[in-house]
Amino acid sequence: MDLIERSSQHASSPSMKNRLQTLATLGNVPRKEKQFRNFCGNSLNLRQGGGNVVTEIWTFLSELRNQERAEEEKRKAEEDETRKKQKEVEEAAKERHKKEKDSTTESDSNKKKNDDVDQNKSSVSPEKLSAKKVRKTMKKVLKKNTHQKSKSMKLKLLRREVQALLGLGDCDNSNKKLLKKMLENEISSYKKVKIDGKVVSILS
């Protein structure tokens, strides 16, 4: 019925348009050709000599139906293609987001590893702070940095120089205290060095 109503808008002649409009007002228009022919013959008074007209109406409606089906299939195909492309775009965006997230996670992981390495490097162990190594480094720093006449330098500066030469970097507080204590012990036990307040001197 809907097809017949729409078909009147595409009719090529006034007579065809009138007959289609008449059919649109009738109910239960058959969809099969034989029944349709009988229905049109009776409803449109085309029993005698109207066979060609009925054929023309049937052909016109069939062609219009096929055209509309083709257009509908094309529309659905275009919609499917659009959905497919949209899905591909969404999948690509998800994949890109996942890669960016993985890259960020890997970067954070590498940064943490580097931080852990740096922390391990700056963390002083008792083995590294052996008395022998501290004494040797202390002597090296004093010989290099003491003034020519006074042959002395500040204890704080000495401690920093020793710490740097031992490759300890920035120690944590506990290791700084350990290094300070060991250095003071070495100074007090080393006969060629004396400490006067915060100044360390090499004895002649």
Side-chain angles (χ1 to χ4, degrees):
M1 184 65 69
D2 291 339
L3 175 65
I4 296 175
E5 290 178 355
R6 293 193 301 274
S7 67
S8 63
Q9 301 174 5
H10 303 282
S12 58
S13 65
S15 59
M16 173 69 76
K17 184 175 182 179
N18 290 334
R19 290 187 178 100
L20 290 171
Q21 288 176 339
T22 300
L23 283 176
T25 62
L26 303 175
N28 300 322
V29 178
R31 294 179 179 275
K32 293 184 179 181
E33 184 177 1
K34 184 176 181 180
Q35 289 85 343
F36 179 83
R37 285 179 175 277
N38 292 332
F39 181 85
C40 285
N42 294 327
S43 301
L44 301 177
N45 297 319
L46 297 174
R47 278 289 182 181
Q48 297 179 355
N52 292 336
V53 176
V54 174
T55 299
E56 184 181 354
I57 295 172
W58 174 259
T59 301
F60 177 75
L61 291 174
S62 297
E63 290 177 351
L64 182 60
R65 182 186 298 111
N66 291 336
Q67 179 182 345
E68 289 184 350
R69 285 177 179 174
E71 290 176 352
E72 179 65 15
E73 290 176 358
K74 180 180 179 181
R75 184 185 63 80
K76 288 183 178 180
E78 290 175 349
E79 289 179 352
D80 292 342
E81 183 66 20
T82 300
R83 282 194 293 268
K84 181 180 178 182
K85 289 182 179 179
Q86 181 64 27
K87 186 176 181 180
E88 289 175 353
V89 171
E90 291 175 356
E91 291 295 330
K94 288 180 181 180
E95 184 66 21
R96 183 169 62 254
H97 177 71
K98 182 177 181 299
K99 288 182 179 180
E100 290 174 354
K101 185 177 179 181
D102 293 343
S103 177
T104 301
T105 302
E106 183 179 357
S107 177
D108 292 341
S109 178
N110 291 335
K111 184 177 183 299
K112 186 177 183 303
K113 288 180 181 179
N114 292 335
D115 291 343
D116 292 342
V117 170
D118 292 339
Q119 184 177 357
N120 291 333
K121 286 182 179 179
S122 62
S123 180
V124 183
S125 63
E127 291 78 8
K128 288 184 178 181
L129 285 178
S130 64
K132 182 178 180 181
K133 182 175 288 189
V134 171
R135 185 187 306 116
K136 182 178 179 181
T137 307
M138 178 188 68
K139 289 166 64 178
K140 183 176 181 180
V141 172
L142 287 170
K143 289 179 179 180
K144 178 181 178 182
N145 294 284
T146 51
H147 299 294
Q148 187 172 359
K149 292 182 178 180
S150 63
K151 295 183 179 180
S152 62
M153 68 183 300
K154 291 183 178 182
L155 177 59
K156 187 175 182 180
L157 179 59
L158 174 62
R159 187 168 63 249
R160 287 180 179 176
E161 292 286 339
V162 170
Q163 182 175 307
L165 283 178
L166 288 173
L168 302 178
D170 295 328
C171 308
D172 55 38
N173 290 332
S174 61
N175 286 324
K176 283 182 179 180
K177 292 179 181 179
L178 178 61
L179 175 61
K180 181 179 179 181
K181 184 177 181 181
M182 292 187 71
L183 187 59
E184 290 175 350
N185 288 339
E186 290 304 315
I187 291 173
S188 61
S189 63
Y190 188 47
K191 295 180 180 180
K192 293 185 178 182
V193 175
K194 75 171 183 176
I195 183 170
D196 182 11
K198 297 182 178 180
V199 179
V200 181
S201 303
I202 297 179
L203 300 175
S204 302

mmCIF file of all heavy atoms in Angstrom, residues 45-72:
data_model
loop_
_atom_site.group_PDB
_atom_site.id
_atom_site.type_symbol
_atom_site.label_atom_id
_atom_site.label_comp_id
_atom_site.label_asym_id
_atom_site.label_seq_id
_atom_site.Cartn_x
_atom_site.Cartn_y
_atom_site.Cartn_z
ATOM 1 N N ASN A 45 -12.159 -1.174 -13.406
ATOM 2 C CA ASN A 45 -13.007 -1.393 -14.585
ATOM 3 C C ASN A 45 -12.172 -1.590 -15.854
ATOM 4 O O ASN A 45 -12.403 -0.942 -16.881
ATOM 5 C CB ASN A 45 -13.980 -0.220 -14.783
ATOM 6 C CG ASN A 45 -14.957 -0.077 -13.627
ATOM 7 O OD1 ASN A 45 -15.459 -1.086 -13.121
ATOM 8 N ND2 ASN A 45 -15.222 1.154 -13.231
ATOM 9 N N LEU A 46 -11.181 -2.463 -15.765
ATOM 10 C CA LEU A 46 -10.293 -2.720 -16.900
ATOM 11 C C LEU A 46 -10.435 -4.166 -17.393
ATOM 12 O O LEU A 46 -9.486 -4.757 -17.912
ATOM 13 C CB LEU A 46 -8.838 -2.445 -16.491
ATOM 14 C CG LEU A 46 -8.510 -0.996 -16.106
ATOM 15 C CD1 LEU A 46 -7.084 -0.911 -15.575
ATOM 16 C CD2 LEU A 46 -8.691 -0.083 -17.304
ATOM 17 N N ARG A 47 -11.627 -4.718 -17.218
ATOM 18 C CA ARG A 47 -11.862 -6.099 -17.624
ATOM 19 C C ARG A 47 -11.746 -6.271 -19.135
ATOM 20 O O ARG A 47 -11.096 -7.178 -19.629
ATOM 21 C CB ARG A 47 -13.246 -6.546 -17.157
ATOM 22 C CG ARG A 47 -13.320 -6.994 -15.719
ATOM 23 C CD ARG A 47 -12.623 -8.323 -15.561
ATOM 24 N NE ARG A 47 -12.706 -8.831 -14.204
ATOM 25 C CZ ARG A 47 -12.148 -9.962 -13.843
ATOM 26 N NH1 ARG A 47 -11.476 -10.678 -14.731
ATOM 27 N NH2 ARG A 47 -12.237 -10.376 -12.605
ATOM 28 N N GLN A 48 -12.349 -5.411 -19.857
ATOM 29 C CA GLN A 48 -12.375 -5.550 -21.309
ATOM 30 C C GLN A 48 -11.346 -4.615 -21.947
ATOM 31 O O GLN A 48 -11.455 -3.382 -21.833
ATOM 32 C CB GLN A 48 -13.778 -5.229 -21.849
ATOM 33 C CG GLN A 48 -14.864 -6.178 -21.367
ATOM 34 C CD GLN A 48 -16.225 -5.822 -21.900
ATOM 35 O OE1 GLN A 48 -16.400 -4.811 -22.561
ATOM 36 N NE2 GLN A 48 -17.210 -6.707 -21.656
ATOM 37 N N GLY A 49 -10.318 -5.219 -22.534
ATOM 38 C CA GLY A 49 -9.297 -4.458 -23.255
ATOM 39 C C GLY A 49 -8.362 -3.667 -22.373
ATOM 40 O O GLY A 49 -7.667 -2.779 -22.866
ATOM 41 N N GLY A 50 -8.383 -4.000 -21.099
ATOM 42 C CA GLY A 50 -7.499 -3.263 -20.180
ATOM 43 C C GLY A 50 -6.272 -4.035 -19.768
ATOM 44 O O GLY A 50 -5.552 -3.632 -18.839
ATOM 45 N N GLY A 51 -6.030 -5.139 -20.439
ATOM 46 C CA GLY A 51 -4.875 -5.969 -20.064
ATOM 47 C C GLY A 51 -3.564 -5.223 -20.152
ATOM 48 O O GLY A 51 -2.685 -5.358 -19.296
ATOM 49 N N ASN A 52 -3.369 -4.459 -21.217
ATOM 50 C CA ASN A 52 -2.111 -3.711 -21.391
ATOM 51 C C ASN A 52 -1.924 -2.658 -20.305
ATOM 52 O O ASN A 52 -0.803 -2.408 -19.837
ATOM 53 C CB ASN A 52 -2.081 -3.057 -22.771
ATOM 54 C CG ASN A 52 -1.979 -4.067 -23.896
ATOM 55 O OD1 ASN A 52 -1.500 -5.190 -23.694
ATOM 56 N ND2 ASN A 52 -2.436 -3.699 -25.081
ATOM 57 N N VAL A 53 -3.037 -2.045 -19.926
ATOM 58 C CA VAL A 53 -2.953 -1.015 -18.877
ATOM 59 C C VAL A 53 -2.553 -1.646 -17.545
ATOM 60 O O VAL A 53 -1.710 -1.105 -16.812
ATOM 61 C CB VAL A 53 -4.306 -0.283 -18.731
ATOM 62 C CG1 VAL A 53 -4.252 0.712 -17.568
ATOM 63 C CG2 VAL A 53 -4.673 0.425 -20.022
ATOM 64 N N VAL A 54 -3.170 -2.802 -17.253
ATOM 65 C CA VAL A 54 -2.822 -3.510 -16.002
ATOM 66 C C VAL A 54 -1.349 -3.927 -16.028
ATOM 67 O O VAL A 54 -0.639 -3.808 -15.025
ATOM 68 C CB VAL A 54 -3.731 -4.734 -15.798
ATOM 69 C CG1 VAL A 54 -3.271 -5.535 -14.582
ATOM 70 C CG2 VAL A 54 -5.184 -4.308 -15.642
ATOM 71 N N THR A 55 -0.907 -4.411 -17.190
ATOM 72 C CA THR A 55 0.513 -4.787 -17.323
ATOM 73 C C THR A 55 1.411 -3.588 -17.097
ATOM 74 O O THR A 55 2.453 -3.666 -16.439
ATOM 75 C CB THR A 55 0.775 -5.372 -18.726
ATOM 76 O OG1 THR A 55 -0.020 -6.541 -18.910
ATOM 77 C CG2 THR A 55 2.241 -5.720 -18.886
ATOM 78 N N GLU A 56 1.004 -2.463 -17.644
ATOM 79 C CA GLU A 56 1.795 -1.239 -17.473
ATOM 80 C C GLU A 56 1.876 -0.835 -15.999
ATOM 81 O O GLU A 56 2.951 -0.456 -15.509
ATOM 82 C CB GLU A 56 1.165 -0.123 -18.297
ATOM 83 C CG GLU A 56 1.963 1.182 -18.264
ATOM 84 C CD GLU A 56 1.300 2.277 -19.083
ATOM 85 O OE1 GLU A 56 0.291 1.994 -19.751
ATOM 86 O OE2 GLU A 56 1.786 3.418 -19.037
ATOM 87 N N ILE A 57 0.750 -0.956 -15.304
ATOM 88 C CA ILE A 57 0.731 -0.610 -13.874
ATOM 89 C C ILE A 57 1.616 -1.559 -13.077
ATOM 90 O O ILE A 57 2.415 -1.141 -12.231
ATOM 91 C CB ILE A 57 -0.717 -0.641 -13.324
ATOM 92 C CG1 ILE A 57 -1.570 0.438 -13.991
ATOM 93 C CG2 ILE A 57 -0.726 -0.461 -11.808
ATOM 94 C CD1 ILE A 57 -3.042 0.349 -13.636
ATOM 95 N N TRP A 58 1.478 -2.859 -13.357
ATOM 96 C CA TRP A 58 2.279 -3.866 -12.640
ATOM 97 C C TRP A 58 3.776 -3.667 -12.899
ATOM 98 O O TRP A 58 4.600 -3.719 -11.967
ATOM 99 C CB TRP A 58 1.852 -5.267 -13.070
ATOM 100 C CG TRP A 58 2.743 -6.345 -12.479
ATOM 101 C CD1 TRP A 58 3.751 -7.001 -13.109
ATOM 102 C CD2 TRP A 58 2.700 -6.821 -11.153
ATOM 103 N NE1 TRP A 58 4.359 -7.879 -12.259
ATOM 104 C CE2 TRP A 58 3.715 -7.794 -11.026
ATOM 105 C CE3 TRP A 58 1.902 -6.548 -10.040
ATOM 106 C CZ2 TRP A 58 3.964 -8.490 -9.853
ATOM 107 C CZ3 TRP A 58 2.146 -7.236 -8.861
ATOM 108 C CH2 TRP A 58 3.165 -8.189 -8.773
ATOM 109 N N THR A 59 4.134 -3.412 -14.153
ATOM 110 C CA THR A 59 5.542 -3.203 -14.512
ATOM 111 C C THR A 59 6.088 -1.961 -13.823
ATOM 112 O O THR A 59 7.218 -1.967 -13.290
ATOM 113 C CB THR A 59 5.698 -3.055 -16.036
ATOM 114 O OG1 THR A 59 5.208 -4.223 -16.682
ATOM 115 C CG2 THR A 59 7.166 -2.845 -16.402
ATOM 116 N N PHE A 60 5.296 -0.915 -13.826
ATOM 117 C CA PHE A 60 5.722 0.338 -13.192
ATOM 118 C C PHE A 60 5.967 0.135 -11.689
ATOM 119 O O PHE A 60 6.987 0.570 -11.154
ATOM 120 C CB PHE A 60 4.655 1.405 -13.420
ATOM 121 C CG PHE A 60 4.967 2.712 -12.752
ATOM 122 C CD1 PHE A 60 5.926 3.578 -13.268
ATOM 123 C CD2 PHE A 60 4.311 3.071 -11.579
ATOM 124 C CE1 PHE A 60 6.206 4.778 -12.638
ATOM 125 C CE2 PHE A 60 4.586 4.264 -10.946
ATOM 126 C CZ PHE A 60 5.533 5.126 -11.482
ATOM 127 N N LEU A 61 5.027 -0.554 -11.029
ATOM 128 C CA LEU A 61 5.175 -0.796 -9.589
ATOM 129 C C LEU A 61 6.352 -1.723 -9.290
ATOM 130 O O LEU A 61 7.083 -1.532 -8.309
ATOM 131 C CB LEU A 61 3.880 -1.404 -9.027
ATOM 132 C CG LEU A 61 2.664 -0.469 -8.990
ATOM 133 C CD1 LEU A 61 1.418 -1.229 -8.546
ATOM 134 C CD2 LEU A 61 2.926 0.711 -8.064
ATOM 135 N N SER A 62 6.562 -2.739 -10.136
ATOM 136 C CA SER A 62 7.675 -3.683 -9.940
ATOM 137 C C SER A 62 9.018 -2.974 -10.061
ATOM 138 O O SER A 62 9.953 -3.189 -9.263
ATOM 139 C CB SER A 62 7.590 -4.829 -10.955
ATOM 140 O OG SER A 62 6.407 -5.576 -10.770
ATOM 141 N N GLU A 63 9.129 -2.127 -11.089
ATOM 142 C CA GLU A 63 10.381 -1.382 -11.292
ATOM 143 C C GLU A 63 10.650 -0.424 -10.140
ATOM 144 O O GLU A 63 11.786 -0.274 -9.675
ATOM 145 C CB GLU A 63 10.325 -0.620 -12.614
ATOM 146 C CG GLU A 63 10.371 -1.532 -13.836
ATOM 147 C CD GLU A 63 10.242 -0.752 -15.133
ATOM 148 O OE1 GLU A 63 9.951 0.471 -15.054
ATOM 149 O OE2 GLU A 63 10.431 -1.352 -16.210
ATOM 150 N N LEU A 64 9.585 0.216 -9.658
ATOM 151 C CA LEU A 64 9.740 1.141 -8.534
ATOM 152 C C LEU A 64 10.148 0.389 -7.272
ATOM 153 O O LEU A 64 11.016 0.854 -6.504
ATOM 154 C CB LEU A 64 8.422 1.883 -8.305
ATOM 155 C CG LEU A 64 8.438 2.931 -7.178
ATOM 156 C CD1 LEU A 64 9.467 4.017 -7.462
ATOM 157 C CD2 LEU A 64 7.046 3.544 -6.993
ATOM 158 N N ARG A 65 9.524 -0.795 -7.069
ATOM 159 C CA ARG A 65 9.874 -1.608 -5.910
ATOM 160 C C ARG A 65 11.345 -2.031 -5.969
ATOM 161 O O ARG A 65 12.084 -1.945 -4.973
ATOM 162 C CB ARG A 65 8.972 -2.841 -5.835
ATOM 163 C CG ARG A 65 9.258 -3.720 -4.606
ATOM 164 C CD ARG A 65 8.454 -5.000 -4.622
ATOM 165 N NE ARG A 65 7.029 -4.739 -4.574
ATOM 166 C CZ ARG A 65 6.184 -4.947 -5.575
ATOM 167 N NH1 ARG A 65 6.647 -5.413 -6.746
ATOM 168 N NH2 ARG A 65 4.906 -4.706 -5.461
ATOM 169 N N ASN A 66 11.792 -2.486 -7.132
ATOM 170 C CA ASN A 66 13.192 -2.917 -7.280
ATOM 171 C C ASN A 66 14.162 -1.743 -7.067
ATOM 172 O O ASN A 66 15.238 -1.896 -6.479
ATOM 173 C CB ASN A 66 13.399 -3.517 -8.675
ATOM 174 C CG ASN A 66 12.676 -4.832 -8.841
ATOM 175 O OD1 ASN A 66 12.381 -5.530 -7.862
ATOM 176 N ND2 ASN A 66 12.357 -5.186 -10.086
ATOM 177 N N GLN A 67 13.754 -0.584 -7.570
ATOM 178 C CA GLN A 67 14.586 0.604 -7.408
ATOM 179 C C GLN A 67 14.730 0.974 -5.925
ATOM 180 O O GLN A 67 15.825 1.272 -5.450
ATOM 181 C CB GLN A 67 13.983 1.771 -8.188
ATOM 182 C CG GLN A 67 14.785 3.070 -8.061
ATOM 183 C CD GLN A 67 14.134 4.225 -8.808
ATOM 184 O OE1 GLN A 67 13.252 4.008 -9.625
ATOM 185 N NE2 GLN A 67 14.565 5.439 -8.520
ATOM 186 N N GLU A 68 13.602 0.930 -5.224
ATOM 187 C CA GLU A 68 13.637 1.269 -3.798
ATOM 188 C C GLU A 68 14.441 0.246 -2.999
ATOM 189 O O GLU A 68 15.162 0.589 -2.062
ATOM 190 C CB GLU A 68 12.216 1.365 -3.249
ATOM 191 C CG GLU A 68 11.465 2.589 -3.762
ATOM 192 C CD GLU A 68 10.101 2.728 -3.127
ATOM 193 O OE1 GLU A 68 9.658 1.772 -2.442
ATOM 194 O OE2 GLU A 68 9.472 3.794 -3.285
ATOM 195 N N ARG A 69 14.329 -1.036 -3.382
ATOM 196 C CA ARG A 69 15.113 -2.073 -2.704
ATOM 197 C C ARG A 69 16.614 -1.851 -2.920
ATOM 198 O O ARG A 69 17.417 -1.990 -1.993
ATOM 199 C CB ARG A 69 14.710 -3.454 -3.210
ATOM 200 C CG ARG A 69 13.376 -3.946 -2.676
ATOM 201 C CD ARG A 69 13.025 -5.292 -3.279
ATOM 202 N NE ARG A 69 11.762 -5.802 -2.757
ATOM 203 C CZ ARG A 69 11.174 -6.903 -3.196
ATOM 204 N NH1 ARG A 69 11.725 -7.606 -4.198
ATOM 205 N NH2 ARG A 69 10.039 -7.309 -2.661
ATOM 206 N N ALA A 70 16.963 -1.492 -4.170
ATOM 207 C CA ALA A 70 18.374 -1.247 -4.484
ATOM 208 C C ALA A 70 18.900 -0.052 -3.693
ATOM 209 O O ALA A 70 20.030 -0.080 -3.158
ATOM 210 C CB ALA A 70 18.548 -1.017 -5.980
ATOM 211 N N GLU A 71 18.070 0.986 -3.596
ATOM 212 C CA GLU A 71 18.473 2.167 -2.837
ATOM 213 C C GLU A 71 18.610 1.854 -1.353
ATOM 214 O O GLU A 71 19.524 2.337 -0.682
ATOM 215 C CB GLU A 71 17.452 3.292 -3.051
ATOM 216 C CG GLU A 71 17.478 3.873 -4.465
ATOM 217 C CD GLU A 71 16.386 4.911 -4.682
ATOM 218 O OE1 GLU A 71 15.532 5.059 -3.772
ATOM 219 O OE2 GLU A 71 16.380 5.558 -5.747
ATOM 220 N N GLU A 72 17.699 1.014 -0.835
ATOM 221 C CA GLU A 72 17.757 0.631 0.574
ATOM 222 C C GLU A 72 19.008 -0.204 0.857
ATOM 223 O O GLU A 72 19.686 -0.017 1.877
ATOM 224 C CB GLU A 72 16.502 -0.169 0.939
ATOM 225 C CG GLU A 72 16.459 -0.654 2.382
ATOM 226 C CD GLU A 72 16.380 0.474 3.383
ATOM 227 O OE1 GLU A 72 16.083 1.616 2.983
ATOM 228 O OE2 GLU A 72 16.613 0.215 4.577
#
